[in-house]
Amino acid sequence: METTPTTSEPAVGPADGPADDEQAPTDAANGPEESSRPEEQGDGQELDTDALRAELRGVRAEAARYRTKARETAEALKAARSPEEFQAVADRATELETELHRERLARRYHLPDALALRITGADEDAREADAKTLAELFHSKAGGMGRGGLDPSVTPAPSDPAELAASIPRARR
């Protein structure tokens, strides 16, 4: 007793089958008994040229999708960097941002470039507090001493030789 499939489509394996978006044409109008395709039912299936062309189109479309995806992946890999390179770039960016912030603080508080390098701190608030402290120290006025190093509160020494001689104590004998 011979069994025939109930559908008019031949049983096609996943490797031989067309892509999901394209199906081989069926002869639903002719019914399962009156198939116009020259095909064998069983292990050695033969499909007509239209079905083979449709399957070939599906396979070519699938191959084109894979080629496109492979090209996009290769381009993404060219642009991608290793984690070490990414970390190095991120560290450099952080260093430059810190340097820029120091320079801006030095300009805001009227500090020379030599003191701008001495501004330290883990975050922006700590660096700003340090810049304020440096500015207070740098711009503060000197207390009792003038620029010459003399103390103006001391009475000047006499310049007259007679007065100088009188100021020397004489020893008593």
Side-chain angles (χ1 to χ4, degrees):
M1 178 168 176
E2 189 174 323
T3 60
T4 59
T6 57
T7 62
S8 63
E9 290 185 14
V12 179
D16 303 349
D20 291 337
D21 56 340
E22 293 183 28
Q23 294 287 331
T26 60
D27 292 331
N30 294 340
E33 303 295 327
E34 302 176 27
S35 175
S36 64
R37 287 189 244 163
E39 60 180 309
E40 295 177 6
Q41 299 296 329
D43 292 336
Q45 294 182 346
E46 294 181 14
L47 301 174
D48 66 350
T49 57
D50 292 336
L52 289 174
R53 284 186 182 137
E55 187 174 339
L56 182 61
R57 275 192 304 272
V59 170
R60 284 181 178 165
E62 185 177 358
R65 283 193 299 270
Y66 284 128
R67 281 192 306 269
T68 304
K69 185 178 257 185
R71 191 177 315 118
E72 290 171 355
T73 304
E75 289 173 3
L77 283 175
K78 286 179 185 177
R81 305 218 181 243
S82 69
E84 294 83 19
E85 290 175 340
F86 178 77
Q87 187 62 38
V89 169
D91 290 344
R92 179 69 177 145
T94 303
E95 180 184 328
L96 290 174
E97 287 175 358
T98 303
E99 185 178 332
L100 177 65
H101 189 244
R102 283 182 186 146
E103 289 179 9
R104 286 182 176 168
L105 287 172
R107 298 301 168 260
R108 183 183 308 159
Y109 293 108
H110 308 288
L111 294 173
D113 292 335
L115 285 180
L117 297 175
R118 295 179 182 245
I119 297 173
T120 58
D123 59 354
E124 291 184 10
D125 294 334
R127 284 191 293 269
E128 182 149 2
D130 191 38
K132 284 180 184 177
T133 304
L134 284 173
E136 288 173 4
L137 293 174
F138 184 72
H139 297 299
S140 66
K141 302 289 183 199
M145 301 297 277
R147 289 198 176 250
L150 299 176
D151 188 4
S153 62
V154 176
T155 57
S159 58
D160 183 29
E163 289 178 19
L164 281 174
S167 67
I168 297 175
R170 293 188 182 184
R172 293 185 198 173
R173 269 197 192 195

